[in-house]
Amino acid sequence: QVRLVASGGGLVQPGGSLRLSCAAFGSIFGIWAMGWYRQAPGNERELVADISSGDSTNYLDSVKGRFTISGDNAKKKVYLQMNSLKPEDTAVYYCNIRSTTYNLWGQGTQVTVSS
């Protein structure tokens, strides 16, 4: 069974940092993009950052300069380093991997930024 497992969320004070990790289990070939999305209560899910198989990255404007996405296609892992966190970053974060066969979603990990 192919699945994604995300980890690394938690409670952090404003200005703090967290690192999210996501690993894919099962046979996945032809990965062409990996990314992180988030959804806050009452809001739609939005793209936070993604990275292509050619290492081209794309970021939500509000996280540019604070978040960094990295990925390892061979190991089927994607990471999101989040620095200078703000209360408005509070959301459930979902990892996503797209391949020639799958569009996979992780189970979501809660990130809460609060003093």
Side-chain angles (χ1 to χ4, degrees):
Q1 181 181 1
V2 178
R3 60 191 177 99
L4 299 185
V5 178
S7 61
L11 172 65
V12 64
Q13 292 186 344
S17 298
L18 283 174
R19 188 177 192 235
L20 304 183
S21 300
C22 180
F25 296 87
S27 297
I28 305 175
F29 302 99
I31 293 175
W32 55 273
M34 300 188 286
W36 290 92
Y37 291 70
R38 69 186 182 189
Q39 187 167 18
N43 290 355
E44 294 185 352
R45 189 173 297 189
E46 62 182 357
L47 174 66
V48 177
D50 64 11
I51 183 168
S52 71
S53 57
D55 289 335
S56 175
T57 57
N58 178 45
Y59 292 92
L60 180 68
D61 283 348
S62 63
V63 309
K64 286 179 180 177
R66 301 188 296 120
F67 291 10
T68 302
I69 189 170
S70 59
D72 187 331
N73 278 17
K75 294 183 178 179
K76 299 175 289 184
K77 294 183 177 180
V78 60
Y79 307 95
L80 186 68
Q81 177 66 42
M82 305 185 294
N83 298 330
S84 302
L85 281 160
K86 303 176 180 180
E88 50 264 43
D89 296 318
T90 295
V92 177
Y93 284 70
Y94 298 88
C95 58
N96 171 257
I97 290 181
R98 283 163 280 167
S99 73
T100 53
T101 308
Y102 297 103
N103 181 17
L104 296 170
W105 291 92
Q107 81 281 13
T109 184
Q110 177 69 46
V111 171
T112 302
V113 184
S114 175
S115 56

